[in-house]
Amino acid sequence: MSCCTILTCSLVNVQALLHQHPKSRRAMLTTVDHLKRLCIDHYFQDEIDNVMDACVDLVHSDDLLDATLSLRLMREAGYYVSADDVLRKFTNDNGDFNHGLIKDIRGMLSLQEMSYLNMGESSLYKANEFSAKHLRLAIKYLEPSLARYVRRSLDHPYHVSLMQYKARHHLSYLQNLPTRNTSIENLALAEFQIKKLQHQREIKEVKRWWMDLGLAKEIPAARDQVLKWYMWPMTVLEGLSFSRYRIEITKIVSMVYIVDDIFDLVATQNELSLFNEAIKMWDPAAAVDSLPSYMISCYKALYTVTNDIAAMVRKEHGLNPITHLKQAWAALFDGFMIERKWLYTNQAPTPDDYLRNGIVTSGAPLVFLHLFFLLGHDLTEGNNDHMLRIISCAAKIMRLWDDLGSAKDESQEGLDGSYKELYHRENPHGDVEKHVLEMIAGEWQDLNRECFSGTKSTLSHTFIGASLNFARMVRVMYGYDDEQRLPILEDYTRMLLF
C-alpha cells in the first residue's frame, strides 16, 4: 500500500481508538502524549480537546505520574494550573520532594519532563534537580530499553528538544513495548515518509532558486549552505500545508546570512555605509551607481524575495506588510553597522548593549516578522508587545548559545564580538559559562510564560509553536562536539531528508 493509503486507514483506526472509553483516564492521557510525541496530534485536535476536558481533575491525583503528566499536557494545551499547588502534596514541610518517589521511575521521568515547562515556579527548580539526580542513579538498574529511554530523555529533554527528532526515538521505544498499538505506529511511519518526500521536494526548489541567483559565485567569501539554511524553516514551521511558506522563509534566512557575511568579510566601511542608506530607500535601481555589483545583486535578491512575500500576504490575507518588512531590513542593517563600529573602533559595549543589539543581528526578528504576516497576522496594539517578547526570548537564546563559543562556523571567519567575552571583562573571576547557561534557562522560562501562561492570545498556535521550535533548533545548530562537528544536526538531517 502507498503511504497515503496507510495514512488514511490508520487515521480512521486511531480516531476510533480516541472515541472509545478506555479503562482509565491515565490511558487516555498516555495516548494523547504518544500522539504529541510522534508529531501526529494535529489530526485529532477535537478528540484531544475532549480528552483534556475529561481529565482536568486528574492533576489533583496523589499518583506522581498521573499528576505530572496531566499538568504538562494541560499546560501545553493552554490551561493555567499552578505547578507549586500540584506538586505540594509530593513534598515535605521543607519543600523537598519525598524520597519514596524515587522508586516510581515513570513518575520521576514525567516529573523531569514537566520541570522544563517552568515559568519561574520554585517547585519546578527542585523537581528538575531531584528527578535528574535520582534518574541518573537508577539507569544502571533498569532494563535496557527503559534505560536507553531515560538516558535519552535526560540528555535531550522533551520540551526543549526538536519534536520531529524525538519522534523517531519515541517510535522505537513504543515498538519495544510488550503491548503495542499498530495503528498509531503505522500512522507515524506514514507521516514520517510523507514529510520526508515533501521536504526533499522543497530543498530541491530552494537549491534551484539559489543556483539561479548566482550569489555564491559572485560573493565567493560568503557562505554557501543552502541545506543548513533550509533546516531552520523545515524545523520551525511544521505542517504539510506550509510548504510554500517554508520555501519563502528559507530565502529570507539565506539573505540574512549573506548580508551578515558581506558586513563581516567582504565590504569596506564606505561601501557598507552606502549599502545601509540604500536599504532605507528600498529602491535597487536608485542604488546602481553607488554600490559595487555584488551588493546590487544581493540588494535585488532580498528586495525581490521580500516583495514576493508581501504580495503573497496581500493575495492570501488581504494585508500589505511591506512597510513593516522594509523597516525590519533597515533595523537589521543598522544593527550590523553598530557591530561593525564596535569592532573597528575597538569600542567594547556593555554586555547588555551588545545583547540588545545582538537580538536584532541574530536575524530572528526579521525572519519571524515575515512568518508572522505569512500566517495571516497583522500588527495591532493587542498582539505587538506579546509577539516582540516571544521573538526576543527566542533570539536571545540563539545569540547566547552562539556566543558560548563551542565552535566557529567552519565557513565563516567574521568577528562580531561575544557576550561571553564582554561579560568576562566585567567579571574576570566569575563563572562565565555558568552565567550564560543560567541566562538561557531564564529566557526559556520567559518564553514558557509567554506561550503557556493561559492568558488569551491573538497569536496563532502555529506562530507560538514556531517560536518554541526555533528555540529548540538553536541547541542543535550550535551543539558542537569535541571534534567540532554537529552530530545531532547531522543525524537529524539524515533522518528527515535522506
Side-chain angles (χ1 to χ4, degrees):
M1 286 194 291
S2 69
C3 285
C4 290
T5 304
I6 295 171
L7 185 123
T8 304
C9 293
S10 300
L11 276 173
V12 172
N13 293 335
V14 176
Q15 211 151 26
L17 174 70
L18 289 168
H19 284 113
Q20 290 172 1
H21 296 285
K23 293 178 183 177
S24 71
R25 288 177 298 172
R26 177 192 288 186
M28 295 165 70
L29 284 182
T30 300
T31 299
V32 169
D33 191 32
H34 290 327
L35 296 174
K36 289 171 71 73
R37 287 174 183 270
L38 294 170
C39 300
I40 50 178
D41 54 303
H42 56 95
Y43 290 114
F44 312 103
Q45 201 52 58
D46 289 343
E47 289 85 355
I48 288 173
D49 289 344
N50 291 335
V51 169
M52 295 308 302
D53 288 342
C55 297
V56 164
D57 62 344
L58 199 62
V59 76
H60 302 300
S61 169
D62 292 331
D63 181 273
L64 182 63
L65 175 56
D66 285 349
T68 52
L69 175 60
S70 57
L71 175 59
R72 175 169 62 80
L73 291 176
M74 286 173 68
R75 186 161 287 189
E76 289 172 355
Y79 292 81
Y80 177 73
V81 185
S82 166
D84 289 345
D85 289 347
V86 171
L87 297 177
R88 190 172 291 119
K89 67 173 71 69
F90 301 105
T91 61
N92 59 26
D93 293 340
N94 296 323
D96 297 322
F97 281 90
N98 299 324
H99 198 262
L101 297 171
I102 66 175
K103 296 175 184 176
D104 180 3
I105 296 300
R106 296 183 190 280
M108 290 284 284
L109 190 55
S110 181
L111 179 66
Q112 167 75 189
E113 290 172 335
M114 177 59 226
S115 71
Y116 283 93
L117 276 83
N118 197 343
M119 300 192 297
E121 295 131 308
S122 59
S123 63
L124 291 181
Y125 292 110
K126 290 185 175 181
N128 183 277
E129 186 179 341
F130 173 78
S131 56
K133 174 185 173 182
H134 291 289
L135 284 169
R136 290 201 185 280
L137 290 172
I139 284 175
K140 65 186 79 166
Y141 305 112
L142 301 177
E143 58 91 12
S145 177
L146 183 57
R148 275 195 305 275
Y149 191 79
V150 170
R151 188 180 294 110
R152 192 171 279 133
S153 296
L154 290 168
D155 292 343
H156 305 287
Y158 171 69
H159 177 61
V160 298
S161 298
L162 294 179
M163 300 302 180
Q164 295 183 69
Y165 183 66
K166 293 280 287 183
R168 302 302 178 95
H169 298 301
H170 190 67
L171 180 62
S172 298
Y173 171 70
L174 292 182
Q175 290 170 331
N176 284 313
L177 291 178
T179 55
R180 295 170 56 182
N181 187 299
T182 54
S183 295
I184 290 178
E185 291 175 16
N186 289 338
L187 178 58
L189 287 168
E191 177 89 346
F192 292 160
Q193 191 57 34
I194 288 169
K195 280 183 177 177
K196 179 181 281 192
L197 291 171
Q198 187 174 46
H199 294 326
Q200 288 171 348
R201 287 193 294 269
E202 290 167 7
I203 189 62
K204 275 184 184 176
E205 184 170 341
V206 171
K207 283 182 175 178
R208 188 162 54 245
W209 165 81
W210 178 246
M211 290 295 291
D212 292 344
L213 206 57
L215 285 180
K217 289 184 179 178
E218 197 163 357
I219 316 175
R223 280 168 284 194
D224 183 359
Q225 300 175 327
V226 182
L227 179 59
K228 193 172 181 180
W229 299 334
Y230 169 72
M231 295 301 287
W232 282 106
M234 188 189 84
T235 299
V236 167
L237 192 58
E238 295 181 83
L240 299 172
S241 62
F242 295 124
S243 182
R244 174 48 51 189
Y245 294 174
R246 280 192 290 272
I247 290 167
E248 296 306 313
I249 291 296
T250 303
K251 295 176 184 178
I252 295 295
V253 171
S254 306
M255 298 317 303
V256 171
Y257 275 95
I258 296 305
V259 170
D260 186 18
D261 288 350
I262 286 174
F263 270 83
D264 276 1
L265 305 172
V266 182
T268 65
Q269 187 64 37
N270 184 55
E271 287 172 343
L272 291 174
S273 296
L274 293 171
F275 200 13
N276 191 35
E277 291 306 311
I279 284 295
K280 290 178 171 60
M281 293 165 54
W282 202 247
D283 182 5
V288 167
D289 294 333
S290 61
L291 298 180
S293 62
Y294 74 89
M295 275 189 178
I296 294 168
S297 298
C298 177
Y299 192 173
K300 286 180 178 176
L302 72 84
Y303 178 87
T304 300
V305 169
T306 304
N307 280 312
D308 284 350
I309 288 177
M312 193 181 296
V313 172
R314 195 160 51 245
K315 180 180 178 182
E316 295 183 11
H317 306 297
L319 306 169
N320 186 3
I322 194 62
T323 300
H324 297 298
L325 299 181
K326 287 191 298 186
Q327 290 170 350
W329 277 112
L332 180 69
F333 273 62
D334 283 342
F336 284 145
M337 288 295 289
I338 290 169
E339 284 184 348
R340 178 88 173 195
K341 177 187 172 186
W342 286 338
L343 182 62
Y344 283 90
T345 59
N346 287 319
Q347 179 185 350
T350 66
D352 287 346
D353 285 344
Y354 166 81
L355 191 55
R356 197 175 299 113
N357 191 64
I359 290 171
V360 177
T361 58
S362 71
L366 173 89
V367 171
F368 268 105
L369 194 65
H370 285 77
L371 179 58
F372 178 82
F373 288 115
L374 279 172
L375 292 173
H377 293 297
D378 195 7
L379 284 173
T380 65
E381 284 187 21
N383 68 20
N384 189 40
D385 289 345
H386 183 33
M387 180 200 70
L388 291 175
R389 288 194 300 270
I390 286 178
I391 293 173
S392 175
C393 291
K396 276 187 192 175
I397 290 169
M398 179 186 188
R399 177 57 70 199
L400 290 168
W401 261 113
D402 190 10
D403 286 358
L404 271 175
S406 55
K408 288 182 181 178
D409 189 322
E410 68 281 359
S411 302
Q412 214 268 11
E413 296 299 328
L415 299 170
D416 295 329
S418 160
Y419 180 87
K420 183 178 173 182
E421 177 189 326
L422 294 167
Y423 182 82
H424 181 65
R425 285 189 188 184
E426 291 192 356
N427 304 271
H429 304 297
D431 188 334
V432 183
E433 189 153 322
K434 181 183 178 185
H435 170 74
V436 174
L437 289 172
E438 286 174 350
M439 286 186 70
I440 291 171
E443 291 305 321
W444 261 109
Q445 286 173 26
D446 289 345
L447 183 58
N448 287 339
R449 200 175 292 114
E450 293 298 328
C451 296
F452 303 119
S453 63
T455 54
K456 201 70 179 172
S457 173
T458 58
L459 298 177
S460 66
H461 177 76
T462 303
F463 185 84
I464 288 173
S467 68
L468 289 165
N469 283 336
F470 182 92
R472 291 162 180 150
M473 186 60 171
V474 165
R475 193 172 174 183
V476 174
M477 277 292 188
Y478 299 104
Y480 289 88
D481 64 11
D482 294 337
E483 298 175 359
Q484 306 297 287
R485 292 173 59 247
L486 292 163
I488 300 175
L489 180 62
E490 291 169 9
D491 191 28
Y492 177 58
T493 306
R494 194 164 47 245
M495 189 181 284
L496 269 73
L497 271 172
F498 302 113

